[in-house]
Amino acid sequence: MSTYSDAPVANRNVKGRSRNRWFTQVGWRHLVGVLAVAFSLFPILFVLSAALNPLGTLSSTELVPTGASMENFTNLFERTAFGHWFLNSLLLAGVASFASIFLSALAAYAFSRMRFAGRRVGLLSLLLIQMFPQFLAIVAIFLIFTTVTDLWPAIGFNTPWGLFLLYMGAALGANTWLMKGFFDTLPKELDESATMDGASHAQVFFRIMLPLVAPILAVTGLLAFIGSINEFLIANVFLTNTNSKTLAVGMFGLVAGERNNNFGIFAAGTLLTAIPTVLVFQLLQRYIVSGLTAGAVKG
C-alpha cells in the first residue's frame, strides 16, 4: 500500500526537478529575453501613445491613450515645415553616406593594397584626427563658411551642400579604417591573378573587390546614414532658415521652448523620422547577415 501511495509524490518530485533543471538551463534565458523586449518596447509604446494623444501634451500622455486620434500628425504638417525637414534630411543623409562610402572605399583600397611614400603617416594622421571631435573646430569652420557664403552662396550657410562638405570630412577617417581592415582580410592572390589577366586597378577594385566587401559597405553605409540624419550640433549652427533645417534641428525647435504643449507633435514627428532608418536597415540587413555568417565559417 505504501508503494502505491508514494508513487504520485515521486512523480511530482521528478516533475519538479525537471522544471527546475529546465529553468536553470533554458528558462532564465526566456525570462531575460522577455524583460529585454519589454524594456526596449516601453519607450516606443510611450512615444506612440503620445503621438495618438488628442491633447498633445506631455502631462496628459498615458501608456494607453484615451480617445486616440491622428490630430498630432495633421498639426505636424500644417503648423510646421516638417516636409522640408524630412526631404532635407533624406537628401543630405543619402548623398553624404553614399559619397563617404565611395571615397572611403577608394582610400581603404589604396592603403591596403598599394605601397607608397607617406602611407603609414597618412594612416596615423587619419587615426589621430578622429581622436578630436569636429565640434572643437566649430569657430574656425564658422569663420570659413562666413567667407564661403559671401563668395559661393550655393555651398554656404542654410544649404544642404555646405553641410554635406562638413559631414564628409568627419566620416572619411573612421570609414577608411574600418574598410581597410576588411580589405586586409582578402587574399592578395585575387589582385595578382586579375592583374596577370590584364585587369587595371580600377577593374580590380570595381569588379572584384567591391562585391567581396559588400558587408562592410553595408555596415559603414548604415552608420553613415544614421549619423548624418541624427546629427544636431553642427547642423544647428549652420542651418537657421526654417525651410533649410534638418529633422534633428527642426524637431528640437518644437520642444525647445514649449516642451509640454508640443510634445504630441514632437512624438508624431519622431515616429515618422524613424521610417527612413528602418527602411535602410531592412534594405541592408541581408548584406550584414551574410557578412556575419561568412566570417563565422573558417575557410
Side-chain angles (χ1 to χ4, degrees), residues 47-55 65-73 264 267 271:
V47 172
L48 179 61
S49 175
L52 297 178
N53 180 20
L55 298 180
T66 303
S69 68
M70 303 297 290
E71 183 177 356
N72 289 323
F73 292 90
L271 291 178

Side-chain angles (χ1 to χ4, degrees), residues 107 110-112 114-129 177 180:
F111 280 121
S112 176
M114 301 178 185
R115 298 297 179 265
F116 51 89
R119 173 179 173 274
R120 181 176 177 81
V121 175
L123 284 173
L124 293 178
S125 299
L126 286 176
L127 183 62
L128 181 62
I129 292 173
W177 268 94
K180 177 188 175 299

Side-chain angles (χ1 to χ4, degrees), residues 6 29 59 62 151 154 172 183 243:
D6 293 340
R29 302 178 185 178
S59 58
E62 301 174 348
L151 299 177
L172 286 179
F183 274 111
N243 291 332

